[in-house]
Amino acid sequence: MSHVTCDLTVSLDGFVAGPHQSLQQPLGERGETLHRWQFEEREANAAQVEGILAAGAFIMGRNMFAGPGPGPWDADWRGWWDEEPPYRAPVYVLTHHVREPLKMQGGTTFHFVNDGIEAALSQAQAAAGAKDVAIAGGAATARQFLSAGLIDELRLHIAPIILGGGERLLDGVGNLHLEPTVVGGTGLVTHVTYRVGAGA
């Protein structure tokens, strides 16, 4: 069976998005600075960027697809990634709002799942085949999967900045056992891969 992985960029104080997230600033104040390593040092971090997008299927929360807020999104909304998202694979969006699948250019199709994380994972594993399933984010979705013991490998990309507030990754996930297996990095990021096990 495929592994379940999760790649997230976090600040030194543990936030994956800054404060005051909005449709205009989906990553919150200064949240975009977390991801400088993917663009300004792309060649040096090419293996990590490739690894983020190597899964056979992805799962994300509704905010990562539609932006902050609990309500239904506009019927014309097609996500944050223009017409050709980078995933090039099935993406399962956790939501309370039923919607028909949304096929995009380049091989990405968004499927909307309204019956929980286990249902989304089952569908994603069936679609991924022998490839991994990636939990793409955001923080609340990653916390749900970590708390349920459904992530095998957590890959944190730690940016050397302090956000001071926003969306924290690990609040309330319980007593995780994280075994570091790979550490590396560049000037803008430290990459740490953890094998995730049950808490002691």
Side-chain angles (χ1 to χ4, degrees):
M1 183 178 288
S2 60
H3 281 80
V4 179
T5 66
C6 180
D7 280 90
L8 289 171
T9 299
V10 300
S11 65
L12 280 176
D13 50 348
F15 295 98
V16 300
H20 309 300
Q21 290 175 270
S22 66
L23 290 175
Q24 292 72 37
Q25 291 185 305
L27 294 176
E29 293 175 1
R30 298 179 57 235
E32 290 187 3
T33 62
L34 288 170
H35 300 280
R36 288 176 55 201
W37 66 274
Q38 294 189 45
F39 306 101
E40 297 177 29
E41 296 180 334
R42 191 171 184 89
E43 184 173 339
N45 294 291
Q48 287 75 25
V49 173
E50 182 178 346
I52 290 171
L53 298 173
F58 297 83
I59 297 172
M60 68 174 58
R62 66 91 65 205
N63 285 359
M64 191 169 176
F65 174 79
W73 48 78
D74 187 285
D76 295 329
W77 180 253
R78 296 174 67 83
W80 298 112
W81 302 276
D82 299 318
E83 287 299 307
E84 192 168 346
Y87 301 103
R88 304 183 185 281
V91 179
Y92 296 86
V93 180
L94 299 169
T95 178
H96 297 295
H97 307 287
V98 177
R99 180 173 178 169
E100 291 298 312
L102 178 60
K103 188 172 183 178
M104 309 292 280
Q105 296 177 20
T108 299
T109 299
F110 292 104
H111 302 269
F112 301 91
V113 182
N114 65 350
D115 48 356
I117 61 173
E118 290 86 359
L121 181 57
S122 178
Q123 292 177 50
Q125 287 174 324
K131 290 187 175 182
D132 290 343
V133 171
I135 309 304
T141 297
R143 285 196 299 266
Q144 287 184 68
F145 278 90
L146 283 168
S147 296
L150 296 175
I151 291 177
D152 300 304
E153 188 171 270
L154 178 63
R155 305 168 187 161
L156 294 185
H157 311 285
I158 305 164
I161 64 172
I162 303 295
L163 288 178
E167 186 73 12
R168 193 183 293 275
L169 174 58
L170 295 175
D171 283 356
V173 298
N175 186 20
L176 294 177
H177 177 73
L178 300 174
E179 178 188 349
T181 58
V182 181
V183 179
T186 62
L188 292 178
V189 65
T190 300
H191 307 289
V192 185
T193 297
Y194 296 94
R195 183 180 296 115
V196 183

